[in-house]
Amino acid sequence: MCPQVLFSNRKPGRIATMEEYRQSGGYKALSLVVGKWTGKDVCAEVQKANLRGRGGAGFPTGLKWLGVPQEGAYPRYIAANCDEMEPGTFKDRILVHADPHMILEGMVLSAYATGAEKGFIFVRPSYESGARILEREIQRARDAGYLGRNILGTDFSFHIVVHRSGGRYICGEATALLNALQGNRPNPIRPPPYPTVKGLWGRPTVVNNIETMANVPHILRNGAEWYQGLSRSSGSPGTKLFCVSGRVNRPGCFELPMGTTLREIIEEHAGGLPPGCQFKACLPGGASTRFLTSEHLDVAMDFESLAAIGHRMGTAAIIVFDHKTCLVEVTLNLTRFFARESCGWCTPCREGLPYLGDLLRRIEAGEGEEEFIPMIRTMCGHLWNAYCALAPGAASPVESLLTNFEDEVREHIRQRKCPCKA
Amino acid sequence: MAYADLLPGEMRRKLAQKIAESETAREQAIDVMTILQGHFGYMSDEAMLAASELLAMTPLELEELATFYNFIYRQPVGEHVIHVCDSAICWMHGHESLLDHLLSRLEIRLGETTEDGLFTVLPVCCLGYCDHAPAMLVDRRIHGELTREKIDRILTKLIEESHSLPGRK
């Protein structure tokens, strides 16, 4: 069993109570820090630990917090991202249902570090039970003096509210999330200015994924060096919540050291593929990453090792496909998802994704032509000109389908049918 | 507040309090619409006008949001709304044949409402229950590891419940 940090209080079918969280060292970081450290000290420790964002982009958290201008405007805000609509990703749901106070303590500490006075937890509609848990536990934390006015008797005050989304993938993008929170149409906004300078209502705002937040109390309580020692890789410290789904025996969410190999995660923790199924490919970090083939199964799952072979960690949601699964059809499904969830603001995304979807549909239906392949490549290139990261993310599985499985695509065109179907 | 005045008093007070506690009124747009569609069944034109009055938004600004989100219904829906996940993982686990089964049991097409007004079936992207695929939400409650038998049981239970309500056969 690997050391469990974020999941130290995870129990089957039950949420850790505030008391259990406290007994495991919870809220100790808060008493250690509040009123004793400066906000800058907190940022510096988090930066020293080299905590990187767990929502997909992997931006260094300490650096993000230091981006809030010292002399900047007040009030300031924290936005905790629990929107999680990347296909294959469900770690935030598991975390909320395992130990909600760890998320709350992380948010309070991030507020202390950046001088924020109000925080929002942005929750998607299908996590209504999570939203209710968070609201209940916020009240408990407030009653215990960990939240609200004069936290632990100091002059530091911070309030948290749960904001329910109406449900749309783009809301998980940080700037779109801020628009959504303010009751505006959730189109992304291209920085600069960054949200840390000009976010909610034009005020400095820190947007972090809730898994990122949950790491913060542990770093402050145990120190940056301890945190780095949790990892098996030198560049990406800490543990990571890996979600494994698709063709595996035991789909689930596992907390493992950063740098655990993909093979170990799939074969040992997720129980390997069912009998008669052979590994064909996986998406290593959710729907907006590239197909990874068996030659890279021994890659260490951390930011640097994946980047070195041309892949992205994303949300570390590993979706496994077996030899019987048609990857043209998978890519068609993913492309349809992105086309439907595009906010429609910019042309490459709004027009390009349905175009790609149409070409893939025709190939899958046996109506494909050889010329479709260069057409797909050209359109994927255009997607990189989009306004936000949605379209380049959507291009990733399509581009890697052609890189790794061009023969399979050509076979569809040659046979004028899907070769995977009987 | 011509339209908002037509809302039940207690609901109006609850909404007004929510709005008063937030930074700006429009921050509550989704919550207000969710509560109103719970009352009216969907966001009718009248509900839209009432909401825009409460939120100090123009009807057009609110329309931008109402038509954007997957869980705000701008057209009438059935008593029970079923959102079936059609993302890659559920698809691998037999989403298509389960959806066919569900639709043929209800004798509707995707996006339609049954004649008795009980069920609407809508597609939805990944619900975040990939470890329990295939999954669907019924009135925002999750049902995972779906099979044809499980879907039948869910439908039968909801139909029986509705028949036991006063005023229904």
Side-chain angles (χ1 to χ4, degrees), chain A residues 77 93 118 124 168 340, chain B residues 23 68 70 86 126-128:
Chain A
Y77 301 100
R93 186 193 97 229
K118 189 168 181 182
R124 59 180 299 186
R168 196 75 191 262
R340 195 170 65 194
Chain B
E23 306 288 301
F68 191 82
N70 297 331
D86 61 8
C126 185
L127 292 166

Side-chain angles (χ1 to χ4, degrees), chain B residues 55-147:
Chain B
L55 295 162
M57 293 169 76
T58 66
L60 184 62
E61 284 175 316
L62 195 65
E63 193 79 74
E64 283 191 333
L65 300 183
T67 54
F68 191 82
Y69 288 107
N70 297 331
F71 286 82
I72 304 293
Y73 314 124
R74 196 61 182 87
Q75 286 174 44
V77 288
E79 225 168 282
H80 304 289
V81 183
I82 304 178
H83 285 269
V84 187
C85 176
D86 61 8
S87 283
I89 298 107
C90 286
W91 168 79
M92 281 176 79
H93 287 91
H95 151 81
E96 280 171 347
S97 73
L98 288 171
L99 181 67
D100 285 347
H101 176 73
L102 174 66
L103 294 174
S104 69
R105 273 261 345 223
L106 296 175
E107 298 176 344
I108 52 172
R109 285 176 303 184
L110 190 58
E112 290 180 346
T113 301
T114 52
E115 241 179 52
D116 58 6
L118 261 188
F119 298 101
T120 300
V121 180
L122 297 170
V124 74
C125 62
C126 185
L127 292 166
Y129 291 84
C130 319
D131 48 342
H132 299 290
M136 67 183 191
L137 278 185
V138 182
D139 303 329
R140 299 212 182 188
R141 269 186 63 189
I142 194 76
H143 298 269
E145 280 116 13
L146 290 173
T147 57

Side-chain angles (χ1 to χ4, degrees), chain A residues 227-309:
Chain A
Y227 188 70
Q228 285 174 342
L230 291 171
S231 166
R232 288 186 201 163
S233 92
S234 53
S236 305
T239 60
K240 180 78 193 79
L241 304 184
F242 293 97
C243 298
V244 191
S245 63
R247 204 67 80 208
V248 289
N249 282 316
R250 283 195 307 271
C253 181
F254 312 98
E255 179 176 17
L256 299 168
M258 274 281 193
T260 304
T261 68
L262 186 56
R263 186 187 298 279
E264 182 187 325
I265 298 172
I266 295 173
E267 290 179 1
E268 289 181 29
H269 303 282
L273 276 71
C277 294
Q278 289 148 28
F279 179 91
K280 182 175 184 181
C282 75
L283 292 163
S288 52
T289 56
R290 298 167 63 86
F291 287 110
L292 189 151
T293 54
S294 55
E295 66 173 311
H296 292 308
L297 263 177
D298 289 305
V299 67
M301 287 292 284
D302 60 55
F303 293 107
E304 295 77 16
S305 306
L306 281 163
I309 56 164

Side-chain angles (χ1 to χ4, degrees), chain A residues 120-339:
Chain A
F120 300 87
I121 310 179
F122 191 89
V123 187
R124 59 180 299 186
S126 66
Y127 291 178
E128 178 57 30
S129 66
R132 288 185 191 173
I133 290 165
L134 287 165
E135 281 179 333
R136 190 185 66 208
E137 300 307 320
I138 285 169
Q139 186 56 48
R140 286 184 181 155
R142 204 185 287 146
D143 294 342
Y146 298 130
L147 248 183
R149 273 182 202 285
N150 303 108
I151 291 172
L152 299 175
T154 65
D155 59 2
F156 168 58
S157 300
F158 180 64
H159 304 272
I160 300 180
V161 295
V162 171
H163 183 101
R164 287 169 169 79
S165 168
R168 196 75 191 262
Y169 174 70
I170 193 63
C171 296
E173 200 277 342
T175 58
L177 183 147
L178 296 181
N179 259 337
L181 262 173
Q182 295 170 91
N184 301 327
R185 196 173 192 275
N187 302 324
I189 310 158
R190 184 180 277 181
Y194 286 91
T196 43
V197 177
K198 219 174 161 197
L200 289 172
W201 302 288
R203 309 290 176 156
T205 305
V206 169
V207 187
N208 279 142
N209 176 257
I210 61 160
E211 184 191 347
T212 313
M213 297 283 192
N215 277 280
V216 174
H218 302 286
I219 291 171
L220 297 178
R221 201 168 79 228
N222 301 307
E225 270 172 40
W226 167 86
Y227 188 70
Q228 285 174 342
L230 291 171
S231 166
R232 288 186 201 163
S233 92
S234 53
S236 305
T239 60
K240 180 78 193 79
L241 304 184
F242 293 97
C243 298
V244 191
S245 63
R247 204 67 80 208
V248 289
N249 282 316
R250 283 195 307 271
C253 181
F254 312 98
E255 179 176 17
L256 299 168
M258 274 281 193
T260 304
T261 68
L262 186 56
R263 186 187 298 279
E264 182 187 325
I265 298 172
I266 295 173
E267 290 179 1
E268 289 181 29
H269 303 282
L273 276 71
C277 294
Q278 289 148 28
F279 179 91
K280 182 175 184 181
C282 75
L283 292 163
S288 52
T289 56
R290 298 167 63 86
F291 287 110
L292 189 151
T293 54
S294 55
E295 66 173 311
H296 292 308
L297 263 177
D298 289 305
V299 67
M301 287 292 284
D302 60 55
F303 293 107
E304 295 77 16
S305 306
L306 281 163
I309 56 164
H311 285 270
R312 270 191 337 110
M313 177 91 151
T315 59
I318 301 159
I319 310 170
V320 179
F321 305 103
D322 69 329
H323 70 292
K324 284 175 279 188
T325 305
C326 171
L327 290 184
V328 174
E329 210 172 354
V330 170
T331 312
L332 171 61
N333 178 293
L334 298 172
T335 306
R336 279 182 173 155
F337 158 77
F338 285 115

